[in-house]
Each structure stands twice: as C-alpha cells, then as structure tokens.
Amino acid sequence: MPIDPLISRDDPSIPVLTEVIDVPAVAPAAQADATAPLPLIQQAVDVPRSGGFVDETLFNDMRTALLEDVHRRIEPILRARMQQHVAAAVDRVMDDVADQLRNEISRMLDEGLNKELIRQTAVVEQQRPRPRTDDPLP
C-alpha cells in the first residue's frame, strides 16, 4: 500500500512500532532429540481426529503449555522494562522534589535577608543624630 505524501510521518495519531522485543525461541536442535517427548502442538497434529474435533483435554494441555511458554519468555523482559520505567519515574520525582526544596529554601533565605536588611536599616536610622528642635534657627 503506497504512503500518502500529504500525511505527515510525524502525525501522533499514527501508531508507530518503537521497539522490537527479541524473544529467544527454543533451539530446533533441542526439539530434535529422539528421547524428548513430542511438543503438544505436534501431538495435536499427529492425533487422529474423530469427526474433525480434537480431544478437549489435549487442547487444554496445549493451551496451558503455550501460555506457560509465553509467560516464561516474556516475564523477564517485562520485569526488566518495569524496573527501568519505575527507576525513571523515581528519578523524575526526586528531581521535582529537589527543585521544590531548592525553591523553598531560596525563598526562605530571601525573606530572611530582607527582614535582616530592614532591621539593620532601622538600627542605623535610630543611631543617626537628629537635629535639635530647641535651637532657634537664624
């Protein structure tokens, strides 16, 4: 299907595959071992069908084995990704908290300095000699 030149490739409404998850497959040599039992999917293919239906227990066993296999392969990948995302989120939160604390400390220091400057100015004003009011002016 040709791509429409009028549609931007950066359009956020278009889903984009951003990552490929490499899930290691079972090596074919390990499956070829003569002493190993046949995988459940192969058993299902080899089972003679009665009336076009596969045995329900075999189907449930296949489904369970498939789900366990997918879970076993994906669980470590998901765990690692979740740890990365949680670590990134914690870093962002810690940066935000640190910025808020810095801003609050800066504000408190500014207020303290302003109060001290006002106090020092008042002390200097009180120590300044005042003109005498009882002397007649010439």
Side-chain angles (χ1 to χ4, degrees), residues 29-81:
Q31 291 180 353
D33 187 11
T35 61
L38 287 176
L40 289 175
I41 294 175
Q42 186 62 41
Q43 290 177 26
V45 170
D46 294 342
V47 168
R49 297 181 183 183
S50 58
F53 294 104
V54 176
D55 182 19
E56 185 73 24
T57 57
L58 180 60
F59 177 77
N60 286 336
D61 290 345
M62 287 175 24
R63 182 172 175 260
T64 302
L66 180 62
L67 290 175
E68 287 174 356
D69 183 49
V70 168
H71 177 72
R72 187 174 47 255
R73 290 181 187 192
I74 293 182
E75 180 67 22
I77 296 168
L78 291 177
R79 184 174 302 278
R81 298 293 159 81

Side-chain angles (χ1 to χ4, degrees), residues 88-99:
V90 167
D91 285 344
R92 281 193 303 268
V93 168
M94 292 297 289
D95 289 344
D96 290 346
V97 168
D99 288 342

Side-chain angles (χ1 to χ4, degrees), residues 123-130:
V123 167
V124 168
E125 286 294 321
Q126 288 177 352
Q127 293 175 352
R128 198 184 255 177
R130 303 206 188 276

Side-chain angles (χ1 to χ4, degrees), residues 3-28:
I3 298 175
D4 187 354
L6 300 176
I7 297 176
S8 171
R9 300 179 117 220
D10 298 328
D11 186 356
S13 66
I14 300 173
V16 178
L17 177 64
T18 59
E19 183 175 2
V20 176
I21 299 175
D22 184 27
V23 179
V26 177

